[in-house]
Structures are given as C-alpha cells and as structure tokens.
Amino acid sequence: MNIKNWAQAISLCLALGAASYPASAQSPTNSPQKVFRYAFPIAETGFDPPQLSDLYSRIVTANIFEALYGYDYLARPAKVVPVIAESLPEISPDFRTYTIKLKRGVHFSDDPAFGGKKREVTANDVVYSFKRFYDPVTKSQQLSSMLEEGIAGLEEANKRAIETGKFDYDAPVEGIKVLDKYTVQFNLNRPRPRFIYTLADAGGTSIVAREVVEKYGPSIMEHPVGTGAFMLSEWRRASKITLVKNPNYHETYYTADPPANDAKAQAIYARLKGKRLPLVDKVEVSIIEEPQPRWLAFLNDEHEFVERLPYAYAPEVVPQNKLAPKLAKRGMQLERVPLSDVTFMYWNMTHKVTGGYTPEKVALRRAMALAYEGSAEVKMPRRGQAIVAQGPIMPRTGSYDPNFRSEMGTHDRARAIALLDMYGYKDRDGDGWREQPNGEPLVIEYYSLSSADYRELDEIFKKNMDAIGVKVVLKIGKWPDHLKNARSGKLQMWALGLSASTPDSGPSFAYGYGKSWGEDNLAYFKNAKYDELYEKQSVLPNGPERDAMLREMVRILVAYMPYKYRTHRIGIDLTQPWVVGYMRHPFARDFWRYIDIDTDKLPKK
C-alpha cells in the first residue's frame, strides 16, 4: 500500500471510530485473532435501522444495534428475552399499555458525537428512536408498520411535521413517555397483542443516539453507532463490510434455554454456557453476487460460513439431504432447516399493461400465475430445497398450515390459456405473441439480476410465459436499484423474497395493505375488504378467529392476484470445523455474537 492510500485508510478508520478499538478488547496477543468471514449474495443499502427494509443490511444493523428485546438463540419455539430492557414488559390486560424498565450501564460505542464521554442509554433514547420513524426527513421504510401500531400521538406528530416541514422531537406525546431515567411506557390507541415482537427487532426498532443522528445528518446511513456487540470499522460499498468487537458492549454472558430433546442445541449450550459475549473479535462480510465464487471461497477455507448454499451445489453437497461424505470427512458442519420465508413475484397494479381491477386485467395476472410451474422451480433452480407456496403465510410462523391449499400453488396451463382467450388476449398478427384486448402489444417487462441462480429462475418463468404466448422482456439490473424503483412504482413486474422477523404470520399480509403503498406493498394493491380484515386481525389475539381472517385475505389475493407466491425455501448452511455454536434461528439476525472460533482447529498457514 502506498503512503497516500495508507493515509486514506487511516482517515477512514478514524472517521468510522475504528481508532477507538483498543488492543485490550481483542484476543490476547499470544493467541490468534478470532475472525468470522462469509459473504452476502446481495449488496447492502446502508446502516440506519429506520431506513432499511432489505434483509442483508438489517443483518448488519442487528449486530451493531440492539432493540429493547430479542430472542433466545437456542430456544425453540422462539422465545422473547430482554436485551436492553431489564425484564419483560408489564402489559395491561387490554394489550394497550407496555411499561418497560431499562438495564443500567448500557453504553453506545464510542463516537466523536459524544465529545469523548461514555454515553449511557436512557429512556429518552427509546423515545427518540421511535419518534424517528415518524419524521418525514428519515424517510422510514417502516412508517406504515409503525402507524399500524397506533402509538398514541405519533401519527398526528407525523402529519404536523409534513405540514410544517419539521418534526418536533421535544414535544411530548401520549404514546411514548419517560416515566423516569430508566423507565419508558408505550400507550397504544388499540390492542396490540403482539407489540412485543415489534420491540424485539434488533435490525429495525434499534435504539439510537440523538447526538449521532444530528451530527451525521444525511450521511447517517454510513455512521452506525449502537450498543450492540460489534461496530463498523470499514465499509467498501457493495464490496466488503468489516466489523470489530465493541469494547463498550455491556456485560453479557451466554445463556439460553435449549429444548431438552435437541441434542445439537444442548451440546452448544454445554460448551458455551457462561462465556462472555461476543466470542469472536472481528466479522468480515464480502459481497459476492455470483454463486460459484461464493461457494469456492468457503471450500478454499477463505470463509468460515456459507449461509444458504447456492442451490446449484445442493446435489453434490447434500445428496439425500445429508452432508456429502467428502465434506463430512473435512469436518464441515451442516445446518439444514425450513426457512421462515416466501419467494414471490408481483405485478404493478398501477401499470397500464398489468395493473387495474377490470376483469381482463385480473384475468391476465391470474393466467400468468396459473401458467407458472412452481414444482419446476422447486425441482431445478431450487434443486429440491423448497416447497411450493400456497400464500404469504410462512413456515414456523403462528398461522402456518402445511395442509392448506390455494390457487397460489396451482399450475394449470390449459386454464391459463382459456382465461387469456376468453378475455381477448389473442395473437392477432400471427407472430406467436398475444396482443392486449385493445390490439396493443402485450409485453411484460420482468426485472431481475445477472447472477447464475437468477438466470435459472428467469428461464423457468420465461419458458412458462412463452408456452401461453405472453412475451417477456428481461430487465437486468442491481438489487438496490430495483428496490428503490419498486418503492416508487416504476417497475412493471419483479420477483423477490421475504423473510419473517417474528413468529407472527400477520406482517407478511402488509404487502397487500393499502396504507403500505411503496413500503411493504410494492404491488400498490388496494382492496377495501382486504384492508378491513387486515386491521381487524391485527388487534385480535392468536387463535381460530384470527386464522380465519388470514385465510380470507389469502382468498382475496388469489382473486385479484397482485402477487404470485412461489416457494418456501429450505436453508442449507455450512460452517467450517473450527466454527463453534452456529444454529440458524428462524427470526433473529443478531447471531454473530453467539459464534465462537476454535483456534486450535484453524488450518495451518
């Protein structure tokens, strides 16, 4: 490295706070540094929790920041536990008041914004952090979700800020009060039986410091400062993210409640119980979009972990769904579990070709959905590591029923052709492609990525559409760009995935909720009955009545087909022999602090 580049690197580390990372916080000088390395297949967008909705950015923020609550890493089913909070909340019988006491002595990582002083978390930080979702300047991708929670007075504060051009952070609101320095109370306009899950989203409802947000302003996405186990030390956008152990991390020891009948969880707990967290010194995340180099980096011992093995390698890595003998001989460790996720494609309901609620537009979307062969996706691109989805309800969430069936999971090419013929989508000029009922060309612009795994998926989709005479033009680009354009309603059709962050099935239905346009609701779908059911189910406790409403909402989505839910994936995770303690949690993303490295097993260099 030349002098100029070396100086720039030092400047970057100082700007990001890496210079404050003391040698004493690292591994002892006489032992190797514990580094956990792996790759994301998609680039991050930034690191300011309220502004994020993409999975990979929120994995990073979940490990830099902390929420009031989190999840026991080993408990199954998922179990909420205190993190910054001292104990579970005191909840009123009507699920409208949540009173929370904070731990004392929880500090943010060091940053110039604090003027060289240690900065403790107080109830004021909780109030400020939640108010940020409602500040128009934040441009929060979670605003609609937060409005649903009905925190008294904050919707009105949001409207005033829109009118005046400024959010008044110092004005008290009824919905979130400081009772004393370490006690905060939420008051909700309506019952929210599952509000604690909102309080347990480390990647989203994290606690931030006002001084930091005000210091960095528009560049806050580049300056994450939290109370979590790690802090950002280097960021090369869409290339590499390096995090180091936070020396200010509050005293936290490994504790868990593993199921008695889970031998793997019991073994992990026996080995790590009582150790101070985090267990590794550094985490290095590379952005590698293509599956092959991502897999080869792991095989060549350059990474400790491959999360969600590229499916193209599943037949050789997990034949008969068991780790291949040659990999087992090397000591590699397999974690294969159903993911709480769903893949889907959506049609822009405001687009002149695919959008609208008239019979012929509905027929077009339903015909395309029926023509799509989900079982072919499972067999080929997914290599058998998925199941066909029947709707948005994900495995391992509360209302999931593996026996439920709907048209979402149906492949019927003959019916698709009949629908198109019936509603006037015909090949009038004999070129093999159908035109719209008004005679204009029927062209579907389908947005995708350039990587090999996406190309396989695109081939299935295009082949299915070719078979019914619907012309598809692929529009290849970058995932963050697609997301930005999708939110603004500029894409005609796109396919992506959704991962659950709570055990609740309800949030996935926000993708059809009219008040979530441009946030969760990328299809810009709106239906009065759907919205009515969505709002009713949100205040009900879990049970048959709520489940029936969710099923009715699935039927509405089938009737209008703004989304085609495709598959629920099975995750194949692999770790090197020297990695200790990895076990995929269905919802939590802050797993880095629970991982250890057995330095005695590291390959000799």
Side-chain angles (χ1 to χ4, degrees):
M1 181 181 290
N2 62 37
I3 295 296
K4 180 180 178 181
N5 290 342
W6 180 83
Q8 289 174 339
I10 292 296
S11 298
L12 176 62
C13 290
L14 288 170
L16 294 171
S20 65
Y21 183 58
S24 60
Q26 303 178 34
S27 295
T29 54
N30 61 349
S31 64
Q33 190 180 51
K34 295 181 176 182
V35 182
F36 186 64
R37 304 163 298 174
Y38 73 113
F40 289 168
I42 292 173
E44 74 296 334
T45 56
F47 308 119
D48 182 33
Q51 297 190 58
L52 304 175
S53 64
D54 63 292
L55 172 63
Y56 294 102
S57 296
R58 292 182 70 172
I59 289 173
V60 177
T61 55
N63 288 280
I64 293 175
F65 297 91
E66 291 178 304
L68 292 166
Y69 297 95
Y71 292 92
D72 183 309
Y73 185 58
L74 298 180
R76 304 292 187 274
K79 176 183 175 183
V80 174
V81 294
V83 177
I84 292 179
E86 184 177 79
S87 58
L88 292 175
E90 178 184 320
I91 306 172
S92 64
D94 63 358
F95 295 105
R96 292 180 59 180
T97 302
Y98 289 69
T99 305
I100 299 161
K101 291 189 176 295
L102 306 183
K103 290 178 182 176
R104 299 171 187 240
V106 175
H107 293 87
F108 291 101
S109 62
D110 293 334
D111 189 85
F114 302 134
K117 298 178 181 179
K118 286 270 190 180
R119 173 65 161 77
E120 187 183 24
V121 175
T122 69
N124 282 319
D125 295 310
V126 178
V127 173
Y128 174 75
S129 298
F130 275 81
K131 284 183 174 180
R132 282 195 71 216
F133 290 100
Y134 302 83
D135 184 349
V137 171
T138 305
K139 297 179 181 176
S140 175
Q141 297 304 315
Q142 302 172 62
L143 176 59
S144 61
S145 299
M146 296 307 297
L147 289 171
E148 285 178 45
E149 300 293 359
I151 302 175
L154 281 177
E155 183 171 1
E156 293 76 12
N158 171 256
K159 290 177 180 177
R160 284 195 300 272
I162 293 171
E163 293 171 358
T164 64
K166 184 177 181 180
F167 190 94
D168 187 354
Y169 281 96
D170 297 313
V173 293
E174 177 64 24
I176 182 166
K177 296 178 179 178
V178 173
L179 301 188
D180 60 47
K181 186 176 181 181
Y182 300 103
T183 309
V184 64
Q185 185 178 81
F186 290 88
N187 294 292
L188 311 179
N189 289 327
R190 48 190 171 271
R192 298 294 287 181
R194 292 161 292 277
F195 184 60
I196 193 167
Y197 295 147
T198 296
L199 304 177
D201 184 0
T205 55
S206 311
I207 307 306
V208 302
R210 184 171 182 172
E211 304 97 305
V212 174
V213 177
E214 291 181 348
K215 176 178 176 60
Y216 296 110
S219 62
I220 188 61
M221 286 277 266
E222 305 165 23
H223 296 276
V225 178
T227 64
F230 297 92
M231 59 187 192
L232 186 67
S233 69
E234 181 184 10
W235 180 26
R236 299 201 299 270
R237 190 181 292 273
S239 176
K240 190 171 183 179
I241 308 162
T242 303
L243 303 100
V244 293
K245 185 186 294 186
N246 175 11
N248 288 354
Y249 186 53
H250 49 102
E251 200 167 335
T252 304
Y253 297 89
Y254 199 114
T255 184
D257 185 19
N261 62 352
D262 190 328
K264 180 177 180 178
Q266 288 286 342
I268 290 172
Y269 190 49
R271 181 163 182 175
L272 300 178
K273 178 182 178 181
K275 289 192 175 185
R276 186 164 183 177
L277 304 178
L279 300 167
V280 300
D281 303 297
K282 182 188 290 187
V283 178
E284 295 179 351
V285 179
S286 302
I287 312 303
I288 305 177
E289 295 180 350
E290 286 292 340
Q292 185 182 51
R294 199 161 68 244
W295 173 233
L296 290 177
F298 178 77
L299 279 183
N300 295 334
D301 297 342
E302 296 166 15
H303 288 168
E304 274 63 46
F305 177 47
V306 59
E307 182 184 27
R308 297 199 323 205
L309 174 80
Y311 289 121
Y313 303 104
E316 65 179 85
V317 174
V318 285
Q320 288 77 52
N321 296 327
K322 293 182 180 180
L323 188 62
K326 63 181 179 180
L327 299 178
K329 188 175 181 180
R330 287 179 59 177
M332 292 178 179
Q333 304 164 91
L334 170 67
E335 175 83 349
R336 180 182 178 274
V337 294
L339 300 178
S340 297
D341 83 347
V342 64
T343 67
F344 61 90
M345 51 191 177
Y346 77 86
W347 292 266
N348 184 343
M349 295 293 286
T350 66
H351 194 278
K352 65 179 182 179
V353 176
T354 55
Y357 300 85
T358 55
E360 72 276 7
K361 299 296 187 181
V362 173
L364 172 62
R365 295 190 299 270
R366 290 187 68 168
M368 292 176 68
L370 285 165
Y372 187 77
E373 189 175 3
S375 59
E377 175 181 328
V378 169
K379 183 178 179 180
M380 291 304 296
R382 307 290 182 197
R383 304 308 197 272
Q385 305 300 317
I387 61 173
V388 173
Q390 305 296 328
I393 302 177
M394 306 179 206
R396 307 174 84 178
T397 62
S399 301
Y400 180 71
D401 178 1
N403 298 314
F404 176 74
R405 295 292 180 268
S406 81
E407 190 179 298
M408 284 290 180
T410 300
H411 167 59
D412 191 333
R413 185 177 296 164
R415 193 167 151 211
I417 291 171
L419 269 174
L420 293 172
D421 289 343
M422 184 183 302
Y423 286 92
Y425 293 93
K426 297 180 180 180
D427 178 11
R428 292 172 173 81
D429 58 11
D431 67 351
W433 303 113
R434 295 175 185 268
E435 282 77 47
Q436 296 182 61
N438 63 6
E440 293 181 5
L442 174 61
V443 179
I444 304 299
E445 295 182 344
Y446 187 79
Y447 288 77
S448 189
L449 307 182
S450 61
S451 61
D453 46 354
Y454 274 84
R455 289 196 295 272
E456 284 193 85
L457 290 165
D458 295 344
E459 285 173 10
I460 295 285
F461 176 68
K462 194 171 185 310
K463 179 181 177 182
N464 288 164
M465 297 306 107
D466 287 353
I468 60 170
V470 173
K471 186 175 184 178
V472 172
V473 176
L474 296 175
K475 298 285 188 177
I476 306 301
K478 296 290 187 180
W479 201 93
D481 294 333
H482 286 344
L483 181 61
K484 180 181 178 181
N485 288 325
R487 286 175 179 153
S488 58
K490 294 179 181 177
L491 305 189
Q492 183 184 0
M493 191 175 181
W494 188 29
L496 61 164
L498 175 64
S499 296
S501 59
T502 83
D504 179 25
S505 301
S508 60
F509 286 88
Y511 277 64
Y513 185 44
K515 293 181 180 178
S516 294
W517 271 27
E519 293 177 27
D520 293 331
N521 189 350
L522 298 177
Y524 283 74
F525 175 68
K526 190 170 182 62
N527 177 273
K529 182 61 177 178
Y530 185 97
D531 289 353
E532 178 189 346
L533 289 168
Y534 183 84
E535 291 168 3
K536 283 183 177 179
Q537 64 81 28
S538 70
V539 303
L540 290 176
N542 293 339
E545 183 182 3
R546 182 170 185 252
D547 287 346
M549 289 185 181
L550 297 180
R551 298 281 182 257
E552 181 62 24
M553 291 161 70
V554 173
R555 284 189 278 271
I556 293 172
L557 291 175
V558 167
Y560 290 96
M561 204 62 73
Y563 295 92
K564 163 69 172 180
Y565 293 94
R566 306 198 318 194
T567 61
H568 303 298
R569 293 170 289 191
I570 294 170
I572 301 170
D573 301 337
L574 291 157
T575 51
Q576 297 285 7
W578 52 89
V579 174
V580 178
Y582 177 72
M583 190 169 178
R584 175 179 281 277
H585 193 281
F587 313 113
R589 299 173 179 128
D590 56 336
F591 67 95
W592 297 348
R593 59 181 169 158
Y594 300 107
I595 303 300
D596 200 3
I597 300 294
D598 185 341
T599 55
D600 291 335
K601 290 186 177 180
L602 287 171
K604 305 301 180 184
K605 295 183 180 179

